[in-house]
Amino acid sequence: MSTTARKTVLITGCSSGIGLAAAVDAARAGWLVVATMRDLGRSAALEQAAAEAGVADSVQLRQLDVTDPASVATCVAAVIAEHGRLDAVVNNAGAGHVGTIEQGEVADVRAVMEVNFFGVVEVTRAAMPHLRASGGRLIAVTSVGGVVGQPFNEAYCAAKFAVEGFLEALAPVAATAGVQVTLVEPGAVASEFIANQGIDLDTELRAAGPYAPALKSYVDRTLAAFATAAQTPAEAAATITEALDTDRPVLRMQTSDAARAFVGRKLADLDGSAVLGLTGSWVG
């Protein structure tokens, strides 16, 4: 087993969007980045971005399918075998879904939960012994949709709510073992995540029946928001790097003023300190 003195972070979902930007930004900040993705055939964009930023030597590519327990276990074991340590994990891999349950299938909801929630659970479970050993950081990229339920995002919001509850509950327990947990909550981010929804609006509207007016209104509003107020992936990734490097990590970090204002409608306690003050007292 080789070891490295540099802090090592494993980031999931790095083929595009926030994950790609987070890998490059963390490498710029001095981290040795294990950038993972389900399909290494989609690695060209990350390789180019890392080269252009002058950090190609600090970004290592590995295959990881967060929905496959064997893939997760193999990847984490390989990181430890090669580097001897794991100082942080960023659970970023995710999948979206637009639709309402009456017109969808429960299988669609299960598929979204597998990637967005159970993928986080699987990676967290595999990483925790190594994060305990390093006194490391466990970070998950959720969404403002993990705090405020949004129309036609039932499956996606359910999964992100689940991640928020899972890690909020884990945070005080993990802290007793020296692991700090942070939820990073982006708002609108201009990335391939939106393009990857694969929505044919005309087809969806024709099939929406009684929900067509509501769907049209939602889509119009959302497209306008992304056109005028979306962050770049790099802007959102900066908050992830801040969560990796800050001396005083908090439970929740929003990536923009707009995200803070949005979740602030529901969360008076934006950084989660009051919640952790309470639940931490239950285990300490």
Side-chain angles (χ1 to χ4, degrees):
M1 178 177 72
S2 64
T3 61
T4 176
R6 294 177 65 189
K7 286 190 173 183
T8 301
V9 56
L10 184 153
I11 307 176
T12 67
C14 292
S15 63
S16 64
I18 294 176
L20 185 157
V24 172
D25 201 52
R28 279 200 198 100
W31 288 78
L32 178 60
V33 178
V34 180
T36 73
M37 59 192 70
R38 184 175 58 182
D39 179 7
L40 287 177
R42 299 184 61 202
S43 65
L46 173 57
E47 291 174 310
Q48 180 179 345
E52 290 174 352
V55 295
D57 291 343
S58 296
V59 178
Q60 179 185 77
L61 300 175
R62 285 197 178 275
Q63 193 276 334
L64 173 60
D65 180 351
V66 299
T67 68
D68 180 353
S71 175
V72 173
T74 297
C75 183
V76 172
V79 171
I80 298 303
E82 181 168 350
H83 302 296
R85 63 190 297 166
L86 181 59
D87 299 278
V89 166
V90 178
N91 284 294
N92 168 74
H97 181 266
V98 174
T100 190
I101 190 61
E102 181 184 344
Q103 297 182 315
E105 301 291 339
V106 173
D108 297 333
V109 180
R110 292 187 191 279
V112 173
M113 292 293 291
E114 282 294 333
V115 177
N116 291 353
F117 175 60
F118 287 108
V120 172
V121 173
E122 198 71 55
V123 172
T124 296
R125 184 174 185 274
M128 276 299 293
H130 310 295
L131 296 178
R132 282 194 294 104
S134 65
R137 307 250 167 120
L138 175 64
I139 298 167
V141 180
T142 63
S143 167
V144 296
V147 180
V148 179
Q150 299 175 45
F152 296 101
N153 281 261
E154 295 148 26
Y156 178 77
C157 287
K160 292 299 188 179
F161 266 61
V163 172
E164 293 258 339
F166 171 66
L167 290 182
E168 186 173 284
L170 176 62
V173 179
T176 67
V179 179
Q180 301 300 314
V181 174
T182 296
L183 296 157
V184 174
E185 298 167 343
V189 176
S191 75
E192 288 186 23
F193 184 83
I194 298 303
N196 288 345
Q197 300 294 315
I199 297 172
D200 182 329
L201 181 56
D202 290 338
T203 299
E204 294 291 333
L205 286 173
R206 284 195 298 270
Y211 301 105
L215 178 60
K216 178 68 162 57
S217 178
Y218 165 75
V219 170
D220 288 347
R221 174 262 169 204
T222 301
L223 291 176
F226 273 84
T228 60
Q231 288 184 284
T232 65
E235 289 168 339
T239 301
I240 297 173
T241 303
E242 182 182 352
L244 287 169
D245 287 338
T246 183
D247 292 334
R248 301 184 67 180
V250 295
L251 177 62
R252 287 190 173 87
M253 297 177 71
Q254 297 78 35
T255 66
S256 67
D257 288 340
R260 280 183 282 275
F262 187 68
V263 301
R265 297 170 185 265
K266 184 169 183 179
L267 295 176
D269 177 26
L270 286 177
D271 71 4
S273 58
V275 170
L276 289 189
L278 174 64
T279 58
S281 70
W282 295 351
V283 294

